[in-house]
Amino acid sequence: MSAFRDLMAFQRETEALAQIAGRLGWDQETVMPPGAADQRGEEMAAIEGVLHARRTDPRVGDWLSRAEATDAAGARALALIARTYGRNAAVPGRLVSEIARVTSVAQGIWAEARARNDVAHFLPTLERVVALVHEKGQALAATGYGGGDPYDALLDDYEPEATAASIAAIFDRMRPRLVALRERILGADRHPAPLSGHFAEARQLGLARDLATAFGYDWNRGRLDLAVHPFSSGSGNDVRITTRVVEAEPFNCFYSTIHETGHAAYEQAIDQAHLMTPLGAGVSMGVHESQSRIYENQLGRSRAFTHWLHGQMHAIFGDFGVGSPEEFYRTVNRVQSGFIRTEADEVHYNLHIMMRFDLERALFSGGLAVADLEDAWNTRFARDFGVAVDRPANGMLQDVHWSVGLFGYFPTYSLGNVYAGCLHRALRADLPDLDTGLAQGDARPATEWLRAKVQRYGGLYAPAEVIERATGAAPSEGPLLDYLEAKFGAIYGL
């Protein structure tokens, strides 16, 4: 057997073990009994230790030195394995296991603190998580990753080739137009009414399943469950989604479901030839987020699709206070300075991300202590959004990400929005009759275009290359900002 075949066989087993680790995480967030948290931490530490040992196995280095690919897919797989091998070799195995153990337990502590609105309950754990992840960033930076910068080294884990400086430059270009648009909207004479009423959980979940189906989710290879913080888990032939239900706020459930369906559809659509290889998953979190955001916003909140959704809600819930499809479209896209990132309108969403990005950079540069994070959050939020945070669950405790050590992850959400803007412009150009199907609840023309242009390739191409190949142009923030100004200018009569 050749070095290439030996390496790929070894890699297949590693990928299988990584899927098992992911399934443990899904279980923890959905059905694991709360008393199992400490034991699950030990289990996660054990499996991450095994994975780290495999990813740094000297045989991998030997195989890489001798392996020869026969096609572009093989060459890309070798490059990705080499990248993973180098990054893992830079981080001590005991640190990997400790991060897995601590973050597994931290999830439960965060959930308790969030439910109790008790930041003090979470801070000691968060300090430990930040210290461990900072140590990981320093270990990577010491061997050249991230150009020697610990935060960039962490960011590179989620969006290869991106840097804090490059993202900050994008944000600096986006912020003035977003703030100007927000101010024009908030000063407008026309304001859509909010949705109000009671929407039973069982009926919400039934419609959520219909929405996932409308956007192409394959139920034979997936399932829908409830979680505190919605997420998608898995790849290939086992890709699961979660949502959450607030009986007074059905859009929370519906658009979280569509969002996670976008993530899951990406994983389900990857070419089966890439299954259980380094190419068998989304290439970056930014590209991943482009799929969830275009499903949720440009498609799911479009005039055509919301007109169909209005009819579905009437059929399921009866008269719910929004009389016409056009009024419903405006209600779905209502702009307000809310606290919660996952519920934010398209105008405010990126401002939520920019705030988190700046706070993360301050934490890792030494300019902000964990003990001062709540005050920093509340001060920045009041400045950016014009309202004071009323309780920690609506402030720094709202997101799960920091409890599980995902520093460098947040900026990829806005990169995903930028990519989605580029993809949407190209999609509309290729499918001028798209709204005809969306008005019938049929998103297949759009989802099939995305499968063909983006999703099927998995990790075959670098993130920016994926977008450029799909759209014919390098990624830029222009299409997203043009779309937002046109859409909300029309809704608010600007």
Side-chain angles (χ1 to χ4, degrees):
M1 188 176 282
S2 70
F4 181 83
R5 288 197 300 271
D6 286 343
L7 176 58
M8 296 308 292
F10 184 86
Q11 183 67 25
R12 187 176 185 86
E13 292 182 351
T14 303
E15 297 285 346
L17 288 168
Q19 290 292 319
I20 293 170
R23 211 84 68 243
L24 285 173
W26 169 87
D27 176 89
Q28 179 170 338
E29 292 296 302
T30 55
V31 297
M32 186 189 81
D38 288 343
Q39 179 176 318
R40 181 54 50 87
E42 296 300 320
E43 293 166 356
M44 292 297 290
I47 197 166
E48 286 299 329
V50 170
L51 282 166
H52 185 75
R54 291 184 66 87
R55 289 167 176 158
T56 57
D57 191 312
R59 289 177 296 172
V60 173
D62 177 60
W63 285 323
L64 284 168
S65 70
R66 296 185 291 110
E68 295 182 3
T70 59
D71 57 19
R76 174 67 172 167
L78 289 178
L80 291 175
I81 293 171
R83 180 177 182 276
T84 300
Y85 180 70
R87 287 183 65 85
N88 279 279
V91 182
R94 58 93 192 154
L95 179 58
V96 171
S97 294
E98 182 66 1
I99 289 173
R101 186 190 67 79
V102 169
T103 56
S104 179
V105 175
Q107 286 178 271
I109 296 172
W110 160 78
E112 291 173 1
R114 184 177 184 272
R116 291 160 43 177
N117 281 295
D118 184 358
V119 172
H121 181 64
F122 181 52
L123 282 182
T125 301
L126 182 59
E127 286 180 342
R128 180 63 176 151
V129 171
V130 170
L132 289 169
V133 176
H134 195 202
E135 185 180 350
K136 175 185 174 181
Q138 290 175 318
L140 288 165
T143 54
Y145 289 98
D149 180 88
Y151 186 77
D152 279 355
L154 296 170
L155 173 61
D156 190 58
D157 224 8
Y158 309 110
E159 196 67 18
E161 302 176 4
T163 65
S166 67
I167 290 172
I170 294 172
F171 287 175
D172 286 346
R173 295 193 297 269
M174 292 174 66
R175 193 190 307 271
R177 287 176 66 177
L178 287 173
V179 171
L181 176 59
R182 181 187 67 181
E183 295 308 309
R184 291 168 63 206
I185 290 171
L186 296 180
D189 294 330
R190 179 195 303 174
H191 287 278
L195 188 66
S196 63
H198 179 267
F199 303 85
E201 177 175 312
R203 293 185 179 185
Q204 284 195 45
L205 289 173
L207 182 49
R209 289 183 64 88
D210 291 342
L211 290 169
T213 299
F215 281 93
Y217 187 57
D218 182 353
W219 292 101
N220 190 50
R221 298 186 290 155
R223 55 179 290 136
L224 173 66
D225 293 275
L226 292 173
V228 173
H229 192 106
F231 65 97
S232 174
S233 175
S235 64
N237 296 325
D238 189 348
V239 187
R240 309 178 188 194
I241 58 175
T242 64
T243 192
R244 64 181 169 207
V245 174
V246 178
E247 293 199 331
E249 301 173 3
F251 293 160
N252 192 326
C253 174
F254 300 154
Y255 284 98
S256 289
T257 301
I258 296 172
H259 180 100
E260 300 308 334
T261 296
H263 283 302
Y266 185 5
E267 295 292 336
Q268 289 182 334
I270 294 171
D271 190 329
Q272 287 281 305
H274 300 329
L275 189 66
M276 307 296 279
T277 78
L279 309 184
V283 67
S284 76
M285 288 314 305
V287 176
H288 235 301
E289 202 62 26
S290 76
Q291 302 307 283
S292 60
R293 296 298 283 177
I294 197 172
Y295 276 46
E296 176 189 356
N297 292 326
Q298 284 92 340
L299 302 176
R301 297 183 197 270
S302 67
R303 174 179 277 107
F305 191 79
T306 58
H307 282 197
W308 173 83
L309 180 57
H310 177 261
Q312 299 303 299
M313 287 189 65
H314 259 292
I316 293 170
F317 300 108
D319 183 3
F320 59 92
V322 182
S324 72
E326 187 61 20
E327 182 185 357
F328 182 75
Y329 166 64
R330 293 194 294 268
T331 294
V332 168
N333 289 286
R334 181 170 176 261
V335 174
Q336 59 180 332
S337 294
F339 297 113
I340 306 300
R341 173 188 62 85
T342 57
E343 299 169 13
D345 57 76
E346 292 178 80
V347 176
H348 281 100
Y349 187 89
N350 292 300
L351 297 175
H352 283 270
I353 298 303
M354 292 172 188
M355 181 185 78
R356 287 159 174 77
F357 173 64
D358 289 343
L359 291 174
E360 284 190 350
R361 293 179 74 190
L363 280 173
F364 279 81
S365 70
L368 176 63
V370 172
D372 299 324
L373 181 56
E374 183 182 20
D375 285 343
W377 178 294
N378 292 348
T379 299
R380 173 67 180 268
F381 191 89
R383 189 188 81 193
D384 284 7
F385 295 89
V387 293
V389 174
D390 59 349
R391 60 185 188 272
N394 284 338
M396 67 161 280
L397 292 181
Q398 67 179 266
D399 294 304
V400 71
H401 301 61
W402 289 342
S403 73
V404 294
L406 297 180
F407 293 93
Y409 189 109
F410 274 123
T412 67
Y413 284 122
S414 282
L415 281 179
N417 282 331
V418 168
Y419 294 160
C422 300
L423 292 168
H424 181 242
R425 175 177 285 183
L427 169 65
R428 289 283 180 178
D430 286 354
L431 303 175
D433 296 326
L434 177 63
D435 284 338
T436 301
L438 291 175
Q440 302 299 317
D442 181 8
R444 283 178 298 176
T447 57
E448 289 173 359
W449 187 92
L450 290 164
R451 285 190 191 110
K453 296 286 188 175
V454 176
Q455 296 170 1
R456 68 189 177 99
Y457 296 114
L460 185 59
Y461 303 112
E465 185 180 0
V466 170
I467 305 305
E468 186 162 359
R469 290 174 65 93
T471 65
S476 78
E477 68 280 356
L480 172 66
L481 296 171
D482 291 346
Y483 153 79
L484 292 174
E485 289 168 348
K487 176 178 180 176
F488 290 95
I491 290 173
Y492 281 86
L494 304 180

